[in-house]
Every structure is written in structure tokens, then in C-alpha cells.
Amino acid sequence: MKFVHGDLSGEIVNEQKECVEWIIEAPELFAKYVGKLYRQINKYEGKFVLSENNKEIDIAKHSEIIINPLSVEINNKKIVNKLYEELNKLSSNEVLYMQTLELTKLIQEYLLDLEQETNYILEFNNEVEMSALFKAVDLKYEDSEEDFLERLVKYIKTLGNLLSIKLVIFINARCFMNDEKIRRLCEEIKYMEIKGLFIENSEKACVEGMERYIIDKDRCEIY
């Protein structure tokens, strides 16, 4: 997989670079690239290109940008909707199909019994939408991790498994994590076969296992 920008001479991320620290020292360039990247991930046009096997893939679908790692939400709307979609498919497979039919039948019978206990004539949709049922019972991922890093790792793993995210981008993550936590996070990302890009506005000590791509204050590229 490769991640490049039309105005840069080098590849920011490639097959050999699994976890990259992209240091942009000039404030105006940092704001420019981060702003453009944020917009492109939110489906605007831009010059960043994400590719796999020399074929361009949709940045908005296959990458995630994390500006504040403390605020990641494993049960955000995008993840939960995709979870319901997958569970809905599972409810119709050969293993669970008969149970799903039995469940919908029981719900229908319950509603009819409920009607008998009232003075009303009621009507309802005989086709029970499983996704509506999941929403009614507030079905979601268990979110019990208290450790900040464990919670972040679980979030990224969910992005990869459920949403096919291939590139996770962190903005100034070293403001939130020390070198050891960054190193551990990189190890976890590599194990998941996801690329990690850490965009920083200043150079700090090298972290084991990370490659570097630097744009210094004079706008020179070092890689």
C-alpha cells in the first residue's frame, strides 16, 4: 500500500514503511497538509492518493484520522451501523435463519396478545427489521477498557475488521503518549496489518520501529 501527495517528491507511506512519523516543522505547511487531508477523508477532492497493488482506493473509505486519541468512540454511528449491517446478514444465514423466523413469530404473537389486553384495534408491520430490533435493545460493542492505550488499540482493530480501514492517521499523538506507548501502538498496528501515520509539528526522539519523513522549516524533504 502507498500513500503519497502530488506536491511531494517522496512516498509518505509504502509497503516497506508500516509505521511512519511525518514531521512538518513549518506551521503553515502543517496546517495546509493536515487541513487538506482532513477534508479529503471527509469526501472532498484533494491531492493525497492512497493505493493498493498500484490501484487507487478511496481515502474516505479506507483511512481514518484521529485528532484526539482520548476521544475515540468505539460505538460511533458509522461503526454501529456497519455492525448492524453485518449482524443483519448473519441473522439470515443458514445457521440462524430458523431462529430468526421463530423470533419474529414470537414478537408478532406477543403484539397480538398485547392488543387483546387493550380496548384498541392495532396494526403493525409483520416484517420485523432485525436492525431496528438491534437499535431498540441498544446493541453495541462492550466498551469496558479503562486503559487509554488498550481502548485505542481496540478502536483501531474494530476499524480494520469492520470498516476495512487500511491507514490510520494520528495528529500530534506524541502530545498524548510517551515514546513507549507510541512504540507499543506501532507494534499493535503492524500486527493488524494496518499502516500507521503519525503527523507531528516538531521533531522528537526517534521511536523504535518507526520510519521518518521530514519537511523541515526550510521546506526541504528528508526521507
Side-chain angles (χ1 to χ4, degrees), residues 37 163 209 212 219:
L37 180 55
L163 299 177
R212 278 189 161 178
R219 304 191 177 205

Side-chain angles (χ1 to χ4, degrees), residues 30-177:
F30 181 86
K32 170 188 170 182
Y33 285 119
V34 171
K36 295 291 186 181
L37 180 55
Y38 183 83
R39 285 175 58 82
Q40 204 167 332
I41 288 176
N42 284 280
K43 302 182 179 180
Y44 288 87
E45 295 294 323
K47 292 184 178 181
F48 285 100
V49 177
L50 183 65
S51 62
E52 189 171 47
N53 299 322
N54 295 318
K55 183 179 179 181
E56 186 174 351
I57 58 177
D58 191 343
I59 288 180
K61 288 184 178 179
H62 297 290
S63 60
E64 175 78 1
I65 189 166
I66 298 175
I67 296 175
N68 180 0
L70 296 174
S71 66
V72 296
E73 177 53 66
I74 197 170
N75 286 302
N76 66 42
K77 185 177 180 179
K78 183 166 63 174
I79 288 177
V80 170
N81 285 344
K82 185 64 176 178
L83 175 64
Y84 288 1
E85 182 182 317
E86 288 209 356
L87 293 177
N88 194 49
K89 290 179 182 177
L90 287 174
S91 71
S92 301
N93 70 16
E94 58 183 16
V95 177
L96 295 173
Y97 180 66
M98 294 307 298
Q99 286 180 258
T100 301
L101 286 181
E102 184 64 25
L103 175 60
T104 56
K105 180 183 176 183
L106 287 172
I107 292 173
Q108 291 164 4
E109 290 175 350
Y110 173 78
L111 293 174
L112 290 171
D113 289 342
L114 191 63
E115 180 186 40
Q116 294 300 314
E117 296 300 316
T118 73
N119 295 321
Y120 315 121
I121 298 175
L122 306 175
E123 64 176 27
F124 54 86
N125 189 347
N126 286 323
E127 297 295 326
V128 178
E129 289 288 339
M130 295 305 295
S131 56
L133 179 60
F134 301 150
K135 185 176 181 180
V137 299
D138 195 23
L139 186 64
K140 58 188 177 183
Y141 279 102
E142 182 182 25
D143 189 12
S144 59
E145 283 82 358
E146 294 184 3
D147 180 81
F148 157 62
L149 184 58
E150 287 180 5
R151 194 164 184 268
L152 184 58
V153 167
K154 182 177 179 180
Y155 176 72
I156 296 169
K157 186 176 182 179
T158 303
L159 292 175
N161 292 340
L162 201 63
L163 299 177
S164 300
I165 295 297
K166 300 180 182 297
L167 175 67
V168 178
I169 303 155
F170 302 87
I171 308 300
N172 279 338
R174 297 185 75 170
C175 293
F176 300 89
M177 291 176 275

